[in-house]
Each structure stands twice: as structure tokens, then as C-alpha cells.
Amino acid sequence: MANYAIMRIEKRKLPSVGRINKHHERQKEEYKSNPDIDRERTGLNYHIVQPPGPYREAALARIEQAGARRRKDSVVLQDCFVGGTPDWLKAKSREEQRAYFSHAYQFFEDNFGKENIISAVVHMDEATPHMHLCFVPITAKGRLSSKDIIGGPQGLVKWQDRFYEHMRQRYPDLSRGLPKKLTHRKHVPPYMFKLTAELYKHYDEICQAINSIGVLNSGRKKEEAIALLGRYAPEMTQLKAQVASTDKQIADLERELAYVMEGRATAWRANQDYKQELEETNYKLYQLNREQKKLEGIISQIPPELLAQLTKTERDARKNQERGKNR
């Protein structure tokens, strides 16, 4: 099995910076959308670069320090993710993992400037260790420009090539994954797997609650069942759209696999690593899709108007709870 060094860079405008800050710095007490987070292990997380304060203020301060102009819609942060093939990375000791992320960090410092990096934090409290690094895209001439720094989709592929070459210097057993620009594969957001896994974990409990809301003259039992369903209502509401998404991605993958297996492939498509990536992704999507459809079958038994009401109530409650914690 091929092992990969994973690096992604996403653009962030000012309105989204606060949300990124809360996630990266673990400033929320509950993460219902990400059940992989184990709060008992959050104390194991560590910084390579400690943020000087809230990301928003740190980004704006760096822009002002550089004398750069900022438009209302400017990209103020590049939000970077660094990981690796889970089994390969988890097989390493804590010290070896720390060395891996330190080596990855050096790539960003060398290429984007230490002065522009406002945070680099390694999360040890999820299924696989990974690093989130944020930097302000200030050019050598003091301009705020994501386009000049990253260069759009083609530029991002080049940066990923450079990152792979940097990581391979110390880890020669790593492979370069084929760029999404070439394969046209869509990245399946991790939250889709996590959301389904969280609901699936409570499958029997949800089934029992759905049966209970239809029982006549059982006031307290019915109220308890509705309250339980309300806890998961926003996630259940999202499920239908996610099933449609995985259905389409499976169909796309099957077409691509058929194209490769029939021998009508270009050189990079004939690459053995690419075939393996397709097969592994297809298998994971099938598993996800199967669980989604099983959940969708029971959720469809909830009266739509009740599910809509429960979803609104739970979302409002979560917003109020979050506001209360941020005061």
C-alpha cells in the first residue's frame, strides 16, 4: 500500500476566520459534527507556533504591519492541513510524529515566511494526528494576495509537488498522490463520514424513539422520544443531500475504474497507485453509502413537519449555547 504526505491549502476570508480559530484552538466544548474529537486527549495537542491572540486580530495586525491594502472580500488567511496515510502515521512514536510535523512546518516557514505564520497546531485528539497551519498571504513586496502567493488551482498543484519533494527528503518511502486536477476526483469531506458514523452509532436508539412517537396515550414516553430525536435532528436533515452526493461520486468512480481496467488509460491513469486509490476510495464510499441509506430508511418514518421543527429548535439551542460560552 502506498503511503502519502497530505497537504491541503484553503482560502479564508475575514468572516470565516473566527470559526476556523475555534476549531483549531479547541475553543468549543462540544463537537457534535465531529465525533472523532476526544476531549480527554485534547491536552495532548501542541503548538509549533503559538498564536499571539485570536486569529482575526493576528491576521489584521500582520496586514497592517506589512502596510498592505485589504479589500472587503480579500483572502486574509491560507488555512493549511498537513496529514499522512493514517496507518503509516499512527505506526510512528509520538517523537517520530512530532519530527514529521516539524519537518512539514519548515516547508511553510521556508516558502511563505515565518513572519506571516500566525498559528501551527498539531491535533492529537482525533483518529489520526494532523497539523493545522494558518498564514497571512503577504508577498515579498508587501501585498496581500492569495493569487500571487498560491497561484490558483494550477499553482496549488505545484505547491503540493514541492511539499512532497520536501517531505521525501526525510521520508523516502512516501508517494506523491495524483493531483485532483488530473484525476477530477472530488474530495469526500471527512465530516460526511463522521456525521454518518455518529448517527449510525445511535441507530437502535433512534429506531426505538421513532417507534415511540407513534404510540398512543404514552405522553412521557413520547416526549422523551421526541427530545432524543431532536438531539440529532440537524444531522438527520442533512442526510438526504449527502446520500445523493455519495451516489453520484460512486457512479463517477465506477466509470473511472472501468476506463482504467479496460486498458484505455493514459500513462498516469495506468499508474498502479492510482488504481489502488480508486479501489480504496470506492470501497470506503460504498460503506458510507450503505450506512447512509440504512439511516435514511428509518429517518423517512419521521413526519417531515416534526423533523423540520426539531431541526430548527436544536439549531437555535446550539447557537444560543455557543453565544453564551463566548460571552
Side-chain angles (χ1 to χ4, degrees), residues 271-282:
N271 182 296
Q272 189 59 41
D273 285 346
Y274 179 53
K275 292 178 186 176
Q276 186 172 326
E277 278 189 58
L278 284 176
E279 290 166 352
E280 289 174 0
T281 303
N282 209 27

Side-chain angles (χ1 to χ4, degrees), residues 65-111:
Q65 181 188 48
R69 294 179 59 187
R70 177 178 66 87
R71 299 189 311 272
K72 188 176 181 180
D73 64 343
S74 291
V75 172
V76 298
L77 275 186
Q78 301 291 165
D79 183 18
C80 312
F81 173 93
V82 173
T85 300
D87 290 343
W88 180 83
L89 197 50
K90 288 190 286 188
K92 297 184 177 300
S93 67
R94 290 271 176 86
E95 292 74 17
E96 289 170 333
Q97 290 172 356
R98 186 179 283 265
Y100 176 83
F101 291 116
S102 293
H103 185 61
Y105 165 78
Q106 198 59 48
F107 171 83
F108 293 93
E109 183 176 301
D110 292 345
N111 287 282

